[in-house]
Amino acid sequence: MLVSAAPRMPTTTSRPVLYTLLGLNRAGQALWALLLVGGGAAFVAWKVFVPAMRFSDADEQLFRAARHGDRAGIEHALAAGAGVNDASPLDGGTALFRAAAFGHTDAVRALIEHGADPASRAGDSRTALDLVIAARADEQDAATARALDDVAAALRGAEKRE
């Protein structure tokens, strides 16, 4: 009695699949083009649209108020649900960074009173105080320099309290 081996599949049926996976035929080229385009679109969505969905309208109002030194606007945005320590999807800075960079001491104090973290770091690993010190070093206008000095003092005072 002879035992025969299981029949082997012809190798010609596996070649089209292999050629497709390697992109060696038209179907494979279309597959790889689709993966490349789809991957690029997914990357853009991940970096642009997903962070924007986390940043609410109240957060946008808070950042705008901080940039303009509007204490009442800061209070209103925080009451509307803005997060005092929410970071911008673009640079990772908080509203405290905006108020500090523009030399708005009253806005900086208001944000600190509401729990803003002066030790938080932006995407470039700098704190708000680091940002103010760098801006102060380059500033030529005396009034703006005094405002930045006041902001730096407020930030240093907040860091000591923590």
Side-chain angles (χ1 to χ4, degrees), residues 59-122:
D59 289 328
E60 184 64 39
Q61 291 172 359
L62 177 63
F63 273 66
R64 190 176 303 117
R67 186 174 54 244
H68 294 290
D70 180 11
R71 185 179 184 112
I74 290 170
E75 303 282 344
H76 178 68
L78 290 171
V84 72
N85 287 314
D86 286 354
S88 166
L90 296 176
D91 63 0
T94 63
L96 184 64
F97 282 77
R98 301 300 186 271
F102 286 97
H104 299 302
T105 309
D106 195 38
V108 167
R109 288 189 181 121
L111 290 164
I112 290 171
E113 288 169 8
H114 286 284
D117 181 13
S120 68
R121 297 185 179 276

Side-chain angles (χ1 to χ4, degrees), residues 94 96-97 100 117-134 155 159:
T94 63
L96 184 64
F97 282 77
D117 181 13
S120 68
R121 297 185 179 276
D124 60 357
S125 299
R126 296 193 309 176
T127 64
L129 182 58
D130 296 336
L131 179 72
V132 170
I133 290 170
L155 290 169
E159 285 179 349

Side-chain angles (χ1 to χ4, degrees), residues 45 48-56 89:
V48 175
F49 297 115
V50 171
M53 287 188 282
R54 290 184 298 153
F55 203 66
S56 68

